[in-house]
Amino acid sequence: MTNPEKKTPEMNEPIHPGYQPDPMKSAINPPPPMYGASPSMPYQYQAYSVPPGAIPVQPQQTILIANVQTANEPDYLGYSIFTLLCCCLPLGVAALIYSIKTQGANQQGDVASARKYSKLALVLDHTALGLGIAWIVLTIILVIVFSTVAAASVSSIQQNHFGNYNP
């Protein structure tokens, strides 16, 4: 009868007295793959090999081309960015959002939505521009009024405190 030997659980190697297992063969550090040896992969990931003499054929792919007619509604994106930066920030942001929605509807071919978003972006842009111009005009008027009032009060104070003193 053969002498049954004890074997290590890692690599089925026999245990000898004073035997130290090789750390490179443990489960933590597996041995490096040998040249020409295929790596151990699950069956589902192994490459398909064609039987000898067979010709490999790839299946034909079906490509469907949908004729989508794009809408050409103007998106007023530049106008929206201008009103956002120079006129009225809140209305400019809203106009920019609807300009981007117009672009998306144009690309999808949704003419009704593109037309609706385009008109809304234009109305918001015009409103923001009107408010921006009104704000600038009001600011100019207020600066002129306050400047004249301040100049008049300064000259009035000078006359009251110093009289008509001319050196």
Side-chain angles (χ1 to χ4, degrees), residues 88-102:
C88 182
L89 181 71
L91 290 178
V93 168
L96 182 66
I97 289 170
Y98 282 108
S99 293
I100 293 170
K101 283 186 174 187
T102 302

Side-chain angles (χ1 to χ4, degrees), residues 3 37 59 62:
N3 185 9
T62 304

Side-chain angles (χ1 to χ4, degrees), residues 4-5 8 15 21 28 45 47 59 62 72 76 78 87-89 100 104 107 112 114 121 125-127 141 143 158 167:
E5 296 180 355
T8 59
I15 298 178
I28 296 173
Y45 297 115
T62 304
N72 287 331
Y76 305 109
C87 298
C88 182
L89 181 71
I100 293 170
Q107 289 174 352
D125 283 332
H126 286 333
T127 306
I141 291 171
V143 166
Q158 284 179 348

Side-chain angles (χ1 to χ4, degrees), residues 24-96:
M24 292 302 290
K25 292 183 180 178
S26 68
I28 296 173
N29 294 325
M34 301 288 288
Y35 178 74
S38 63
S40 60
M41 292 184 180
Y43 175 72
Q44 65 187 7
Y45 297 115
Q46 289 184 354
Y48 173 73
S49 61
V50 178
I55 300 173
V57 177
Q58 289 185 338
Q60 294 292 325
Q61 295 180 354
T62 304
I63 299 173
L64 299 176
I65 299 174
N67 191 6
V68 177
Q69 183 179 7
T70 59
N72 287 331
E73 291 295 321
D75 57 6
Y76 305 109
L77 185 65
Y79 190 19
S80 298
I81 292 172
F82 172 75
T83 58
L84 171 91
L85 297 175
C86 299
C87 298
C88 182
L89 181 71
L91 290 178
V93 168
L96 182 66

